Amino acid sequence: MNELRSKNFWAEAWRRHIDGYLRARPRCGYWIETFFSKSLTFLEIASGSCRDSLYLAQRGFNILACDFELEVLKLVRNRFFNSSLPLFSANAFYLPFMDRSFDVTFSNGFWVCYSDDSDLYSLIREQVRITRKYVVSFVHNGENQGLLAHFRDLSSRDSLYNIRFLKRYEVLDIVRSSGISYKNVYFQKFGGKMDCLYSRVVNNIPNPLSSFAQLLVPRLYNFQSWQETERIVCIIELY
């Protein structure tokens, strides 16, 4: 897992995977759009392909994106040169922003790259420093045994999938142990069987909900069990 912290690893990984990431739906972007007001300011940390931030910028959100891998940001900028999304190269442990610069900061699949809890404490404290209202992190759900097995199989062929899965109580312990002050911390469900509604055809039957799916699916996740849910959304509400 340590190689997931290496710039050389990510430069090569993004060259291999960026097309696939950009072809996929910006599900995290749909979720953010569903649960947060467009009147707020946003920063995506460890944005990688910037798929979700690009979507949110297109939808009129006031959003910036940052990643420590400059080469992937260059790839994104070259492909989306007409996008209004500002991109920054930044180390998530030392972000180049003033205290309380953004209403909402979020990362998707970033915490799972770190096996050492002390690294996560540092990341959380730095994210809190630049945030006014909500710190949001999407992490792979350790309660989903099927997904765990699937990633274990994938990681035997590509170390990109050798990530850390976390259960809700583990995420809560990490937040509490980070030493930050917060008003509340709670969890939402993200990803899972409800994603089938994004398809125009489900089980060979035309799906009449597909055109509304990006409005419906983020809300429908909550009707899944945790064992069927792909990721945990950890939301830290600040004072």
Side-chain angles (χ1 to χ4, degrees), residues 70-206:
L70 183 59
E71 290 306 311
V72 71
L73 297 178
K74 289 179 180 177
L75 287 171
V76 171
R77 180 53 66 212
N78 288 339
R79 293 191 184 205
F80 300 95
F81 55 88
N82 288 325
S83 174
S84 62
L85 176 67
L87 303 177
F88 292 85
S89 177
N91 183 333
F93 290 92
Y94 306 99
L95 292 164
F97 305 107
M98 301 288 288
D99 293 358
R100 299 172 65 82
S101 291
F102 304 94
D103 293 316
V104 181
T105 58
F106 69 96
S107 65
N108 184 11
F110 183 42
W111 287 9
V112 297
C113 296
Y114 294 88
S115 57
D116 190 334
D117 286 353
S118 64
D119 287 327
L120 293 179
Y121 302 155
S122 297
L123 287 172
I124 292 168
R125 287 193 292 266
E126 180 65 353
Q127 191 169 347
V128 166
R129 180 186 68 78
I130 64 165
T131 308
R132 285 190 290 270
K133 294 184 177 182
Y134 298 100
V135 167
V136 182
S137 293
F138 294 71
V139 300
H140 290 67
N141 178 20
E143 297 173 54
N144 186 328
Q145 294 300 312
L147 190 65
L148 259 169
H150 180 56
F151 268 64
R152 191 178 300 118
D153 179 60
L154 291 173
S155 68
S156 67
R157 300 185 295 275
D158 187 339
S159 55
L160 179 67
Y161 298 97
N162 182 24
I163 63 171
R164 180 181 184 181
F165 279 71
L166 291 164
K167 297 180 179 179
R168 283 171 289 165
Y169 78 87
E170 293 173 315
V171 176
L172 185 59
D173 284 347
I174 288 167
V175 172
R176 287 174 170 169
S177 299
S178 69
I180 64 168
S181 297
Y182 57 87
K183 185 185 299 184
N184 194 14
V185 58
Y186 51 97
F187 302 122
Q188 294 276 359
K189 298 170 183 174
F190 176 84
K193 63 182 182 180
M194 294 299 179
D195 288 328
C196 71
L197 296 177
Y198 288 126
S199 301
R200 293 185 179 181
V201 178
V202 179
N203 295 328
N204 296 317
I205 300 172

Side-chain angles (χ1 to χ4, degrees), residues 32-33 36-44 56 61-65 101-106:
I32 293 288
E33 183 178 31
F36 287 101
S37 169
K38 195 179 290 187
S39 65
L40 302 174
T41 57
F42 296 81
L43 172 71
E44 182 176 12
L56 292 169
F61 279 72
N62 183 354
I63 183 167
L64 284 68
S101 291
F102 304 94
D103 293 316
V104 181
T105 58
F106 69 96

